[in-house]
Amino acid sequence: MKNSALLIVFISLLFVACNKDVYEKDVTINAKVSQNDEIGRNRFLGAAPDVKKVQFGYSNEFDGNSSRTTVAVNNQGNIVEVHQSRTTRSVWYHTGKLDEVMNINWSESKKFDDGLAPSVAINDQNVVVEVHETSNIFTSDLWYHVGVHNGSDVSWSKSHKYDKGVHPSIAINNKNQVVEIHKSQGNSGLFARVGTVNPSDGTISWRNNSKFDTGHNPKIALNNNGVVVEVHNSETSGKLWYHVGYINGDRIDWGSSYEYQSGSMPDIALLDDGTVIETHTSEGVKNNLWSMIGKVEGNQINWITKSSYFDKGKHSSVAATNEYAIQVHESEDPLGGIWYSASKFIDRANWMKNTMGTIAAKNLGEISIPGSHDAGMYDLSLGQTQDQNIYEQLHHGSRFFDLRLDGNLNIYHGPVGGPSVDNILSDVRKFMDEGREELVILKFSHFKDINQEKYKVLVDKIEENLGQYLFIKNEQLRLGGITIGEFVDEGGKILVLVDENFAVDYPIENIYTFRDWSKNDLDKADLVMFDEYSNTTSFDNMRNDQINKLNGFNGIAGDGTPVDMFLLSWTLTPVTGVELYAPKANKRLSHEAKNFDKIPNILYVDFIEGARAVDVAMYLNQRF
């Protein structure tokens, strides 16, 4: 047993060491935006209010033994996905529908042609266009299909040869205009053309075909205003470039080419207001997937967010509406299939303010909020449970923070130390100073080597950093009976909860006593919470345990005391290497949420940005 434990620690150390280099290199590479060097870190993180972002999170597999997937969606919510078989030179498609929790219900995969490297697009009239390479390795022919989506399937026309080349990409708008780009079969030249779809006979009338640049793996997007955005790999290095163009009759008037990122296999979606959502794979062999948000301004893109990691994989494809975005990608496993995730396109930094119509009249026990387990353990270590600092977690929508302090007033998890409480409080202050109207809950617990004097130092730090935002309740009210609207009626507020007897022995009007529901002194508590983790590395065991506890929760402790909140501990608990286990739980949260019989008040997760917990919380707040 001892040898096994040592082996686990050794493997974990090796994993962390290897991934430290990979992660830090990715962050360094993906932080470079040559066109926007003047944009500061706060701008990247969306420090200004009302910045809409996507949060794809960890993905779910929906087809095995497939590759080179591409996806399209329209404002009716009709989804078309096309992919290439891994074992035969053929192209297949799925249709899909998005549910309220951003899960996609896919149809059975159907073959509709022979070929390779497909690309697909759909408009709001349900006209579908698809292009692909020939299945004949000698001719390099390019072919297209026109189809009509009937709500559950696509009726495809016959295929038409239209050019020679490789890596074709196509886009369509509501005027039935199409733009197509591809790479030359003999060199790195990139070519583009404009066309018009004729849905009645399943054909496309093409205009001029002209070279506009050099590179590899080009992808195209088009909106209803005739704006075109193109992204591609450099022909000589692992750099990504874009063009903005405008349809002008039978041609595209292109702007200059701009380097914007390091990486490979980019794709892009374009909305009518000029918003772009981009995905790409890491440069080299790491197979990490990243996303970015930008806005077309003239002939350039103003990148609003930095490149954000969301999963493992390669060859990602992205599609979007004004309300949500979908990405599909190929597994990083050479024998794996294709995966998807979807995300609301919303401002997560202000999600409570923007849903106040739903939650304002409800109390803490009647809403659901995202919560960060071991929130301060974001530095790379054996105890790591998050990979974003508190400021970033706040921007991604977390509103409940589990903070465990040692005698030096540093965060810790088991034997591993983390950042100082000063860093935590500074991050919270920075977020609140941006004019937020959110309710943030800080729960301090698991005190180690802390006495009354050190606790007083902690309180002084809290008041110094956050004093103006600390919530002070009316003496006659219970915290659990206060509505969300009442919490924030004078602006954003922070609710500080403290476990043990420190807040009892050293009472301060804006620091409140927390108790777990199983304690025998609940009369001392300002807020009581049900919180029982499952202590397992098995997802099925954790799921069953937590859902059974939720279903059995009646809001009353054993001594008759009201229990204010239920914490759904959606976490797996290995000895170390939490990063390896978190995806198993996080990617299933939205699926399981549809079956909850009651509302869990805190969606408590590791690596919170991978769980899309805001999307789930918003769904639950509407449902219950």
Side-chain angles (χ1 to χ4, degrees):
M1 190 71 179
K2 182 177 180 181
N3 290 337
S4 298
L6 288 173
L7 180 61
I8 290 172
V9 171
F10 173 76
I11 292 173
S12 300
L13 285 168
L14 184 61
F15 172 82
V16 169
C18 294
N19 279 276
K20 178 175 172 61
D21 177 67
V22 169
Y23 179 77
E24 289 183 346
K25 185 176 181 182
D26 269 336
V27 168
T28 302
I29 289 172
N30 286 283
K32 296 178 181 177
V33 183
S34 59
Q35 181 196 328
N36 294 290
D37 286 340
E38 79 282 0
I39 300 177
R41 179 169 173 79
N42 288 353
R43 174 75 176 278
F44 276 137
L45 291 171
D50 302 318
V51 176
K52 294 172 68 176
K53 292 184 278 189
V54 295
Q55 192 176 87
F56 287 123
Y58 298 122
S59 310
N60 287 278
E61 187 174 22
F62 68 102
D63 197 324
N65 197 33
S66 302
S67 64
R68 296 297 178 129
T69 177
T70 175
V71 71
V73 64
N74 66 11
N75 285 310
Q76 280 70 54
N78 291 322
I79 302 167
V80 182
E81 181 276 340
V82 178
H83 59 269
Q84 169 188 320
S85 169
R86 282 192 186 275
T87 53
T88 63
R89 304 176 70 83
S90 57
V91 287
W92 300 63
Y93 75 98
H94 291 270
T95 59
K97 281 287 187 180
L98 198 67
D99 69 16
E100 311 93 320
V101 208
M102 299 293 105
N103 303 309
I104 299 177
N105 299 310
W106 296 102
S107 71
E108 182 182 355
S109 180
K110 299 178 182 178
K111 178 183 175 181
F112 69 103
D113 207 345
D114 293 320
L116 303 171
S119 173
V120 70
I122 185 173
N123 68 12
D124 291 338
Q125 284 74 51
N126 289 317
V127 178
V128 183
V129 288
E130 181 272 342
V131 291
H132 61 266
E133 300 174 14
T134 183
S135 60
N136 183 337
I137 62 175
F138 303 106
T139 61
S140 298
D141 293 333
L142 297 177
W143 299 76
Y144 76 81
H145 285 272
V146 174
V148 176
H149 196 296
N150 61 22
S152 61
D153 203 355
V154 178
S155 300
W156 297 102
S157 71
K158 68 177 183 179
S159 61
H160 299 269
K161 176 182 172 182
Y162 70 96
D163 208 340
K164 288 185 177 293
V166 294
H167 304 158
S169 178
I170 197 162
I172 186 173
N173 65 16
N174 290 341
K175 301 173 184 178
N176 282 336
Q177 290 177 310
V178 294
V179 290
E180 183 272 353
I181 60 175
H182 62 269
K183 190 180 87 71
S184 167
Q185 73 275 21
N187 55 55
S188 58
L190 300 180
F191 291 80
R193 74 180 79 217
V194 178
T196 302
V197 177
N198 309 303
S200 59
D201 63 5
T203 64
I204 299 176
S205 301
W206 295 107
R207 313 292 193 276
N208 295 332
N209 182 31
S210 59
K211 181 178 178 181
F212 67 94
D213 207 341
T214 58
H216 300 286
N217 305 311
K219 291 293 179 70
I220 194 77
L222 167 69
N223 70 15
N224 291 315
N225 300 315
V227 182
V228 178
V229 176
E230 176 274 342
V231 290
H232 63 268
N233 279 106
S234 167
E235 59 183 314
T236 58
S237 66
K239 304 296 182 183
L240 302 179
W241 297 73
Y242 75 82
H243 287 270
V244 174
Y246 297 84
I247 293 180
N248 182 4
D250 62 357
R251 70 176 191 271
I252 300 171
D253 292 336
W254 294 104
S256 300
S257 180
Y258 293 93
E259 178 189 332
Y260 70 98
Q261 193 66 43
S262 296
S264 65
M265 295 291 180
D267 197 13
I268 199 154
L270 173 64
L271 304 180
D272 284 346
D273 67 355
T275 297
V276 294
I277 302 172
E278 187 265 8
T279 62
H280 61 271
T281 309
S282 295
E283 179 185 6
V285 297
K286 293 185 288 297
N287 291 330
N288 290 332
L289 296 174
W290 304 78
S291 66
M292 298 174 65
I293 305 292
K295 192 74 172 284
V296 172
E297 296 179 359
N299 288 328
Q300 295 184 335
I301 297 174
N302 174 27
W303 296 104
I304 298 168
T305 68
K306 69 173 184 176
S307 185
S308 177
Y309 169 81
F310 64 88
D311 207 350
K312 292 283 186 181
K314 56 187 178 181
H315 301 155
S316 62
S317 173
V318 64
T321 72
N322 289 322
E323 297 180 356
Y324 54 84
I326 298 164
Q327 69 80 29
V328 295
H329 66 265
E330 184 178 338
S331 171
E332 74 274 20
D333 181 350
L335 300 179
I338 49 179
W339 300 64
Y340 86 91
S341 61
S343 167
K344 290 183 182 293
F345 185 41
I346 57 172
D347 177 12
R348 286 175 175 77
N350 292 307
W351 75 265
M352 295 185 80
K353 180 191 79 171
N354 293 336
T355 61
M356 202 56 68
T358 300
I359 66 175
K362 298 179 180 180
N363 62 41
L364 290 172
E366 295 172 330
I367 70 164
S368 187
I369 63 174
S372 299
H373 170 239
D374 272 302
M377 295 303 296
Y378 50 78
D379 290 333
L380 202 63
S381 70
L382 290 175
Q384 185 180 10
T385 54
Q386 307 290 336
D387 57 14
Q388 297 183 331
N389 64 35
I390 301 299
Y391 178 72
E392 293 167 322
Q393 291 176 49
L394 283 161
H395 267 273
H396 276 87
S398 185
R399 294 296 176 264
F400 177 88
F401 295 87
D402 166 32
L403 302 167
R404 309 179 183 194
L405 289 178
D406 66 17
N408 296 315
L409 298 185
N410 294 327
I411 300 297
Y412 79 96
H413 180 201
V416 183
S420 71
V421 74
D422 299 286
N423 291 343
I424 303 299
L425 299 177
S426 175
D427 275 357
V428 177
R429 172 64 182 264
K430 181 164 65 169
F431 179 78
M432 299 303 288
D433 281 349
E434 294 167 357
R436 305 298 172 186
E437 298 176 36
E438 308 288 291
L439 175 64
V440 176
I441 302 175
L442 307 180
K443 190 200 84 169
F444 292 93
S445 66
H446 295 74
F447 294 111
K448 182 171 68 174
D449 300 327
I450 289 184
N451 55 27
Q452 195 70 32
E453 292 305 312
K454 289 182 179 178
Y455 173 73
K456 290 180 181 180
V457 174
L458 170 64
V459 168
D460 289 343
K461 289 177 180 292
I462 292 173
E463 291 194 317
E464 178 182 354
N465 283 273
L466 306 177
Q468 71 188 89
Y469 300 114
L470 296 180
F471 177 75
I472 302 175
K473 74 178 179 70
N474 182 300
E475 284 292 334
Q476 283 71 45
L477 296 177
R478 291 182 55 256
L479 287 177
I482 300 171
T483 67
I484 306 305
E486 290 168 338
F487 272 114
V488 297
D489 64 351
E490 296 181 357
K493 284 292 181 286
I494 300 167
L495 179 60
V496 176
L497 305 174
V498 176
D499 202 2
E500 302 184 21
N501 283 328
F502 293 112
V504 176
D505 298 337
Y506 183 58
I508 303 291
E509 65 175 354
N510 49 21
I511 307 289
Y512 299 98
T513 301
F514 168 87
R515 284 291 183 269
D516 183 85
W517 80 306
S518 61
K519 300 299 184 181
N520 57 13
D521 60 347
L522 300 184
D523 58 305
K524 297 179 180 179
D526 294 299
L527 188 134
V528 180
M529 183 180 297
F530 182 101
D531 175 6
E532 291 187 4
Y533 75 110
S534 301
N535 195 23
T536 180
T537 57
S538 164
F539 169 76
D540 289 336
N541 290 345
M542 181 276 289
R543 172 201 174 277
N544 294 337
D545 177 63
Q546 289 296 310
I547 291 179
N548 287 338
K549 286 172 177 171
L550 176 62
N551 291 340
F553 177 66
N554 64 4
I556 303 295
D559 65 357
T561 301
V563 179
D564 301 296
M565 302 182 77
F566 181 96
L567 182 147
L568 185 78
S569 189
W570 206 253
T571 60
L572 301 177
T573 51
V575 174
T576 187
V578 175
E579 184 178 3
L580 299 175
Y581 288 83
K584 300 176 184 179
N586 286 5
K587 69 183 181 180
R588 294 298 305 174
L589 179 60
S590 61
H591 295 266
E592 302 297 340
K594 295 180 68 176
N595 301 317
F596 292 165
D597 292 331
K598 299 176 182 177
I599 189 167
N601 306 124
I602 298 173
L603 304 173
Y604 196 51
V605 294
D606 295 310
F607 298 96
I608 191 164
E609 76 285 355
R612 298 186 296 112
V614 173
D615 296 11
V616 176
M618 290 174 62
Y619 160 75
L620 292 170
N621 291 336
Q622 284 282 353
R623 178 181 160 197
F624 290 99

